[in-house]
Amino acid sequence: MTTTSQPVGVAGTVVAPVTVPDPGRPVEDGRRPRWQRVLFVFALVAAAVVFLLPFVWLVSASLRPREYVFAPGLLPVPFAPDNYARAWEAMPLLTWLFNSVVVGVAAAAAATLSSAWVAFGFAYFRFPGRNLLFGLVLATMMLPFAVTMIPTYLIWNRLGLVDTQVPLWAGNLFGSAFYIFLLRQFFLSLPREYFEAARVDGASYPQLFWRMAFPLVRPALLVAFVFEFKASWTDLVKPLIYLRNEQLYTLPRGLKVILDRFGYGGEQQWEVVLAGSVIATVPMIILFFLAQRHFVEGIATTGRKG
């Protein structure tokens, strides 16, 4: 940058120096250089291709005849869309899809609401041993599922709820340590004075949560809901343990039946297996697409305090 001399104006006043851009230096506008932006976009495109390639192959292979399922290439040639009709007729996919939606919504709602209630208590109340108790809650995440699998099964069996869908979601009524941690960080970002003023006006603690805190943390609640819905949607272990009636199966349990019948040890009709896999995957893609804006907002703002 070059600066001109300070000329003297009328009545002896000094005119402010005029800054002239130096043609030899690039103008700094706060943006990255073009080559960095191009490299960043290229890296994003490359990562997107890597992640999308398996799904593209899945869709393409599900649209091919049986003898061409594992043929090289990504184009569905020859084209056989009737594979989906065969998969739909061979198995009660609509029933399994409905069961997965019901169980997924119930599990996600139970985990989100119960975890939010506990997280609000850890964020708002001040009591001796709070940090120790919160640490014990987080320590439960260190327990693998295999440790609690048998005792949990014995409890549900004693209650007479085996071969029902209740064990697939009712356990979430006791909250999740991960979601409690996630939502607690979000509650800590809310100004405490906001709640203290409401307490002075006579608001009860449930009113503080439902009428004030709950609407302010919707993005974080949506993140927890989507995470748990996805976990329930793809869960195979619990349906394998608790479900016996085929009409109660969820999609992952149903896909296991399709794999056993049409895949390994079955009729080797892989086009039917792949078509069922696509049907099970598409609803989650639609859910993430519809909740993308709120989902990204909740991820970006969770954990900010102050």
Side-chain angles (χ1 to χ4, degrees):
M1 306 295 286
T2 59
T3 305
T4 61
S5 59
Q6 297 181 353
V8 179
V10 181
T13 59
V14 179
V15 181
V18 179
T19 302
V20 180
D22 188 353
R25 297 181 58 186
V27 179
E28 297 181 1
D29 55 357
R31 296 190 302 173
R32 296 179 179 178
R34 179 172 298 179
W35 69 270
Q36 290 186 2
R37 284 179 284 161
V38 172
L39 183 62
F40 181 71
V41 172
F42 177 80
L44 289 180
V45 173
V49 170
V50 171
F51 280 99
L52 287 176
L53 190 59
F55 182 71
V56 172
W57 181 90
L58 174 65
V59 175
S60 175
S62 67
L63 293 171
R64 300 175 185 175
R66 182 182 312 173
E67 58 272 17
Y68 294 96
V69 168
F70 297 104
L74 295 178
L75 295 179
V77 178
F79 188 62
D82 58 331
N83 292 339
Y84 287 86
R86 292 173 54 199
W88 200 268
E89 295 172 357
M91 296 291 173
L93 289 178
L94 183 61
T95 301
W96 296 345
L97 181 64
F98 177 77
N99 292 338
S100 291
V101 171
V102 172
V103 172
V105 171
T112 302
L113 294 177
S114 59
S115 300
W117 185 255
V118 177
F120 178 75
F122 277 118
Y124 179 78
F125 295 104
R126 303 289 189 265
F127 54 89
R130 183 187 65 160
N131 293 333
L132 176 61
L133 183 60
F134 182 66
L136 292 176
V137 172
L138 295 183
T140 60
M141 291 192 297
M142 304 299 293
L143 292 174
F145 176 75
V147 174
T148 59
M149 179 175 61
I150 295 178
T152 303
Y153 175 83
L154 295 176
I155 292 174
W156 291 120
N157 186 50
R158 187 64 178 270
L159 295 175
L161 294 175
V162 173
D163 201 20
T164 69
Q165 295 176 348
V166 175
L168 305 184
W169 62 269
N172 291 349
L173 292 172
F174 300 96
S176 168
F178 174 73
Y179 300 134
I180 291 173
F181 169 77
L182 187 75
L183 297 173
R184 174 182 175 271
Q185 296 303 113
F186 206 99
F187 282 123
L188 288 175
S189 67
L190 303 178
R192 187 175 179 84
E193 294 78 10
Y194 182 63
F195 299 100
E196 296 297 340
R199 285 290 297 165
V200 172
D201 291 338
S204 62
Y205 293 122
Q207 289 175 333
L208 292 182
F209 176 76
W210 292 110
R211 296 187 179 181
M212 301 178 64
F214 194 85
L216 294 176
V217 296
R218 284 178 181 174
L221 294 174
L222 184 59
V223 170
F225 186 91
V226 173
F227 275 3
E228 186 58 31
F229 186 87
K230 183 264 180 187
S232 175
W233 188 270
T234 59
D235 184 24
L236 174 62
V237 177
K238 288 182 181 178
L240 277 174
I241 295 174
Y242 295 106
L243 298 183
R244 303 291 182 270
N245 187 352
E246 189 173 288
Q247 295 300 316
L248 299 177
Y249 284 179
T250 57
L251 271 177
R253 183 66 181 90
L255 289 179
K256 181 64 169 59
V257 175
I258 294 178
L259 181 62
D260 293 339
R261 186 174 302 180
F262 297 99
Y264 293 113
E267 303 175 12
Q268 300 292 319
Q269 299 183 27
W270 289 105
E271 70 281 3
V272 178
V273 177
L274 297 178
S277 300
V278 173
I279 294 175
T281 306
V282 169
M284 285 306 304
I285 297 177
I286 297 175
L287 175 63
F288 273 90
F289 178 77
L290 295 177
Q292 179 182 10
R293 181 174 64 87
H294 301 286
F295 185 75
V296 173
E297 179 184 356
I299 289 292
T301 54
T302 300
R304 261 186 348 198
K305 181 179 179 181

